[in-house]
């Protein structure tokens, strides 16, 4: 799943909102360690619930985030 595009989307949105990773973790309800692992590709298949929380917190399109996270094959149904 991991790609630079995925990391860039999250990091750019986070910075644009003025959030540090710790603040994003708190606002999204994801632990800082898990969020860091997601952003840095240590978690290869991020669960949809976590992606939804990140998308909502950062004002991102869940559909686009799902695509870059490797769920694009499921979005066509």
């Amino acid at each position: 799943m991991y790609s630079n595009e995925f990391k860039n989307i999250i990091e750019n949105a986070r910075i644009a909102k003025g959030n540090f990773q710790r603040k994003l973790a708190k606002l999204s309800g994801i632990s800082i360690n898990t969020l860091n692992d997601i952003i840095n590709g240590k978690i290869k298949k991020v669960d949809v619930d976590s992606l939804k929380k990140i998308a909502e917190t950062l004002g991102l399109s869940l559909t686009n985030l799902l695509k870059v996270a490797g769920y694009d094959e499921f979005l066509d149904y």
Side-chain angles (χ1 to χ4, degrees):
M1 176 288 303
Y2 180 76
S3 71
N4 281 331
E5 181 182 10
F6 178 77
K7 180 177 181 173
N8 290 339
I9 288 171
I10 293 174
E11 288 293 278
N12 290 337
R14 178 186 65 75
I15 291 166
K17 289 219 172 242
N19 289 341
F20 294 103
Q21 277 190 10
R22 190 167 302 282
K23 184 175 180 183
L24 173 58
K26 183 176 181 177
L27 292 172
S28 65
I30 299 171
S31 77
I32 185 65
N33 292 333
T34 300
L35 180 63
N36 191 42
D37 288 348
I38 289 170
I39 291 171
N40 291 309
K42 292 181 181 175
I43 297 175
K44 299 300 179 196
K45 194 71 170 180
V46 181
D47 66 274
V48 174
D49 188 49
S50 293
L51 291 173
K52 184 177 184 233
K53 290 175 182 178
I54 292 168
E56 289 174 350
T57 302
L58 294 175
L60 296 171
S61 162
L62 178 57
T63 301
N64 290 339
L65 203 55
L66 287 167
K67 284 181 183 179
V68 296
Y71 288 97
D72 54 329
E73 69 274 8
F74 299 109
L75 296 174
D76 293 332
Y77 293 104

